[in-house]
Structure formats: C-alpha cells, structure tokens
Amino acid sequence: MSKLRLAIVRQKYRPDGGAERFISRALEALGSEQLDLNIITRSWQGTPNPDWHLHICNPAKLGRVSRERGFAQAARACWEREKFDIVQSHERIAGCDIFRAGDGVHRVWLEQRARIVSPMQRLSAKLSPYHRYVLQAEAEMFNSPTLKAVICNSDMVKRDILRCFSLNADKIHVIHNAIDAERFQPATEATRHATRQHLKLPDSATVLIYVGSGFERKGLKAAIEALAKSDRYLIVVGQDKQLQRYQQLANRFNCLDRLRFVGVQQDVQPFYHAADGLLLPTLYDPFPNVVLEAMACGLPVITSTGCGGAEFITAGQEGFICDALDINALSEAIQTIPALSVDSSMGEAARRRIEPYGPQRLARSLTSLYQQVLKTN
C-alpha cells in the first residue's frame, strides 16, 4: 500500500504552539510507515523531524493583510503544484480538503472581545482591514466546494460554525486534543514543596495557576479581580506586551504580593505541581491544551463558558464553569477549590476525566477521517 501524501498548512510552525502539539502528537501516533508528511509553512522554529518534508512559502509582506494573503496564495500554489492526497490547513485558506478550526470562529472571537473593549475599539475592529480580510477568508473557506471536512477540538466550536455558516453538520468532526497522561503526572510532596520554595509560596497556601500568553483573550484581568476577593495565590505563566498593566492592576487591588509572574516556561509541569487548581477565565478559546495538562496533573479547573475545555468539566466534580466576566462567580469558585493537601477528590476526578484522551485515540480518529476524505476524492 502506497503512503498517504498528507500536507499540513501552518503559517508559522512553533513546536510549543497548541496547533503544532496537536499535529506532532497525531503524526507520531500515526507513524511514518503510513504517511508521507509535508509541512507547508512560512517559517519553522526548532529542529524538524527528518522524515517530514518542508515546503517554505515565504513571500514578501507589507503589513498583516499582505502577510495573510501572500501566504495563502503561495501555500495554495504549492499544494496545487504538488498534488497531495490530502491538504489539511490550520489557516483559513479556501481550497483545502480539511480545515482544522484550532482558533475557533473569528466572528465569535470579535463578538466576545467586543464585551471588554471601548466603543472606539469596537468601531476600529469593524473597520480594520485585517479583521475584514480574516472574516472574508473564513467565509470563503467554509463555503468552498472543495472543503470535505472540518476538525473542531470542541463541541463549542462546532456550534459556533453551524451558527455562523451554512455548512452541513456531517462535515464537522469533533476530535479532541490528545494528552500524554504518562508525561503529565500529579505532584509528589517533594516536587510540590520544591517549586513552592523556589517561588516563595507558603506550603499552607491554596495556590492557583494561570497559563497562557495573550492576557486579554485568556482573561487575566478577571482572574486578578476575582483573586483579590480571596486569600489565594496565583502563578501566572505566559507573556504579554502589556505585562506591566496587569502588575499595576494587581497592585491596585492589593494582591500583587500573592501573584507570581514567571513568564513563558519550556516545561510548565513543575508550576502545575506547585498549584491546587487551574484558573483560566478565557474570553474565547476553542480548547486550550493547558486544561488537559492541568487535569492530567490532578488539578481541578475553573474556566469559562467561552472555553471548549468546559465540556470536560461537571461543576463541582472536576472544577467550575462561569461566565468569563462574572467576577463574583469566579471569586466564589476560587474560594471553593480546596488545597490538594486537604481534599484531592476534585483533582483525582479531573485526571480520570482526561485519561482516555491519549495520542492513540487521536490517531485512530484522524486515520478514520482521512479514509473518509480519500473516498470522496
């Protein structure tokens, strides 16, 4: 049997990115004996797998719209020239066979963002050439006759697509991200103590962790405001250009001394091990990997109705779900999460919930989908 020539389209391939981790976990599980894997990208960071074929499409760009449009045209020209069996795009480019909606629906993100920005910023977004381009590219892609399947990593995104576009529901496949529950393990007393000591966190404190870059979208403002009403501590893993603004906000709410801003971390696991729960009141997030990682580490999760990860949580069992801007509900959830040293039952339930979602399950789902798509080619 000849190998399946699969092309993955990702404009900027970063090994630590959510989409890339989805790709690498799936592809490693699928195995190179079945696949001839091609990556169409503008730039690659890190060391590529020697079995993968790189196709660099890096046309000149002048601004964001030029960057998006130029890459879309170059990528499409590449896959038309190479005649791959299946083209799976992680970018909004019409003409692909499969689109993975890892970033959700742009229109829904703009709707959610409109809840927290000024009227002037809302008008600016409406008139923005970049947002208009993305909305148009998204519509063209979902309406393209060549589109055979859409991969969503949550039911939430499937509902968003069906609300915003006239796509046949049979084309939309919910395939959840994979988590390596062997790698991500609950803390031992020693690992918990070591990281807490390093971060100058009291052993007796109840500590939450927030993981994500792009603090506006991921809800750090609401997290700080809700935390201020409690005696809890918060570890903030991630980066943002406006970092100082969030530190000033915490200072204004008199809780800066209970926050630990640690920046981006190559290995987040020790920081999960210092925590008793994950706090992620994200405005709009299809399904962040950090939810799975935290649950695998035995942490209950407080997240929002705008997070696809919420569908892995039954309130009071594996964590709590609130509206991203409901500070009182968030604060109540923060105060309800117990220290793991006192009661680990929610954390244990969280880990049980994610255990079935290993790489092999993801590989089986993708293999099945690819076989369906090949039949329609």
Side-chain angles (χ1 to χ4, degrees), residues 42 59-71 129-130:
R42 182 186 284 279
K61 53 190 183 291
L62 293 162
R64 293 171 89 188
V65 174
S66 159
R67 179 192 69 197
E68 298 299 312
R69 185 179 281 123
F71 177 74
Y130 171 74

Side-chain angles (χ1 to χ4, degrees), residues 246-320:
Y246 291 91
Q247 290 171 326
Q248 288 166 353
L249 178 74
N251 195 37
R252 210 160 61 240
F253 279 100
N254 297 314
C255 61
L256 184 58
D257 60 327
R258 290 187 280 116
L259 266 70
R260 303 290 185 269
F261 289 91
V262 299
V264 174
Q265 297 292 328
Q266 283 301 107
D267 182 11
V268 185
Q269 185 155 234
F271 298 89
Y272 290 132
H273 285 172
D276 299 287
L278 175 74
L279 174 59
L280 195 71
T282 182
L283 265 176
Y284 185 64
D285 213 329
F287 200 134
N289 279 308
V290 299
V291 168
L292 293 174
E293 291 171 0
M295 292 174 82
C297 289
L299 300 186
V301 173
I302 301 168
T303 193
S304 67
T305 50
C307 175
E311 56 207 51
F312 273 38
I313 295 157
T314 301
Q317 287 184 28
E318 298 91 0
F320 297 97

Side-chain angles (χ1 to χ4, degrees), residues 236-254:
V236 179
V237 181
Q239 68 184 4
D240 191 282
K241 289 173 187 167
Q242 304 292 333
L243 170 64
Q244 211 173 351
R245 184 188 293 175
Y246 291 91
Q247 290 171 326
Q248 288 166 353
L249 178 74
N251 195 37
R252 210 160 61 240
F253 279 100
N254 297 314

Side-chain angles (χ1 to χ4, degrees), residues 13 26 53-54 99 120 153 166 181-182 194 203 260 262 317 325 337 349:
Y13 198 104
H53 306 293
L54 282 187
F99 172 62
M120 188 58 79
N153 52 9
S166 53
E182 291 300 309
D203 275 338
R260 303 290 185 269
V262 299
Q317 287 184 28
L325 303 182
I337 291 275

Side-chain angles (χ1 to χ4, degrees), residues 62-103:
L62 293 162
R64 293 171 89 188
V65 174
S66 159
R67 179 192 69 197
E68 298 299 312
R69 185 179 281 123
F71 177 74
Q73 290 168 347
R76 198 181 299 114
C78 174
W79 80 57
E80 286 172 354
R81 184 175 64 247
E82 293 285 341
K83 295 184 169 48
F84 299 112
D85 297 320
I86 295 177
V87 175
Q88 176 178 312
S89 183
H90 292 239
E91 309 290 347
R92 299 168 176 95
I93 305 174
C96 58
D97 299 297
I98 300 172
F99 172 62
R100 181 174 182 267
D103 295 326

Side-chain angles (χ1 to χ4, degrees), residues 21-327:
R21 279 183 286 174
F22 172 90
I23 295 166
S24 60
R25 282 171 186 162
L27 298 172
E28 280 159 19
L30 283 165
S32 58
E33 68 282 350
Q34 299 166 283
L35 276 182
D36 174 47
L37 180 70
N38 298 265
I39 306 277
I40 301 173
T41 184
R42 182 186 284 279
S43 69
W44 181 288
Q45 294 176 12
T47 309
N49 183 314
D51 293 332
W52 301 356
H53 306 293
L54 282 187
H55 303 263
I56 302 295
C57 295
N58 190 19
K61 53 190 183 291
L62 293 162
R64 293 171 89 188
V65 174
S66 159
R67 179 192 69 197
E68 298 299 312
R69 185 179 281 123
F71 177 74
Q73 290 168 347
R76 198 181 299 114
C78 174
W79 80 57
E80 286 172 354
R81 184 175 64 247
E82 293 285 341
K83 295 184 169 48
F84 299 112
D85 297 320
I86 295 177
V87 175
Q88 176 178 312
S89 183
H90 292 239
E91 309 290 347
R92 299 168 176 95
I93 305 174
C96 58
D97 299 297
I98 300 172
F99 172 62
R100 181 174 182 267
D103 295 326
V105 177
H106 195 66
R107 186 173 119 194
V108 179
W109 156 234
L110 291 177
E111 287 169 3
Q112 289 300 320
R113 185 172 178 266
R115 299 174 65 199
I116 61 162
V117 298
S118 68
M120 188 58 79
Q121 286 172 301
R122 285 200 290 275
L123 179 63
S124 173
K126 206 169 185 176
L127 300 175
S128 155
Y130 171 74
H131 289 307
R132 287 163 77 170
Y133 171 80
V134 174
L135 291 168
Q136 184 188 345
E138 193 170 65
E140 284 176 3
M141 187 208 54
F142 279 122
N143 293 325
S144 168
T146 61
L147 184 68
K148 299 176 183 71
V150 175
I151 300 171
C152 299
N153 52 9
S154 64
D155 289 306
M156 179 189 83
V157 174
K158 179 175 181 174
R159 289 193 300 272
D160 291 342
I161 292 169
L162 291 173
R163 173 167 72 85
C164 296
F165 303 98
S166 53
L167 199 68
N168 188 326
D170 294 346
K171 282 189 173 183
I172 306 175
H173 304 261
V174 177
I175 301 177
H176 291 106
N177 295 357
I179 180 68
D180 184 349
E182 291 300 309
R183 185 187 156 216
F184 289 95
Q185 294 271 355
T188 63
E189 244 178 86
T191 57
R192 177 183 172 88
H193 176 72
T195 311
R196 286 201 170 198
Q197 209 170 29
H198 172 67
L199 294 173
K200 296 184 172 57
L201 291 166
D203 275 338
S204 58
T206 304
V207 178
L208 295 161
I209 185 170
Y210 164 103
V211 186
S213 294
F215 294 163
E216 178 188 73
R217 182 174 189 149
K218 302 276 184 179
L220 183 56
K221 181 175 182 283
I224 292 170
E225 287 182 29
L227 186 91
K229 293 169 173 261
S230 73
D231 62 351
R232 306 315 202 210
Y233 286 71
L234 182 66
I235 304 165
V236 179
V237 181
Q239 68 184 4
D240 191 282
K241 289 173 187 167
Q242 304 292 333
L243 170 64
Q244 211 173 351
R245 184 188 293 175
Y246 291 91
Q247 290 171 326
Q248 288 166 353
L249 178 74
N251 195 37
R252 210 160 61 240
F253 279 100
N254 297 314
C255 61
L256 184 58
D257 60 327
R258 290 187 280 116
L259 266 70
R260 303 290 185 269
F261 289 91
V262 299
V264 174
Q265 297 292 328
Q266 283 301 107
D267 182 11
V268 185
Q269 185 155 234
F271 298 89
Y272 290 132
H273 285 172
D276 299 287
L278 175 74
L279 174 59
L280 195 71
T282 182
L283 265 176
Y284 185 64
D285 213 329
F287 200 134
N289 279 308
V290 299
V291 168
L292 293 174
E293 291 171 0
M295 292 174 82
C297 289
L299 300 186
V301 173
I302 301 168
T303 193
S304 67
T305 50
C307 175
E311 56 207 51
F312 273 38
I313 295 157
T314 301
Q317 287 184 28
E318 298 91 0
F320 297 97
I321 306 156
C322 328
D323 183 88
L325 303 182
D326 189 338
I327 304 303

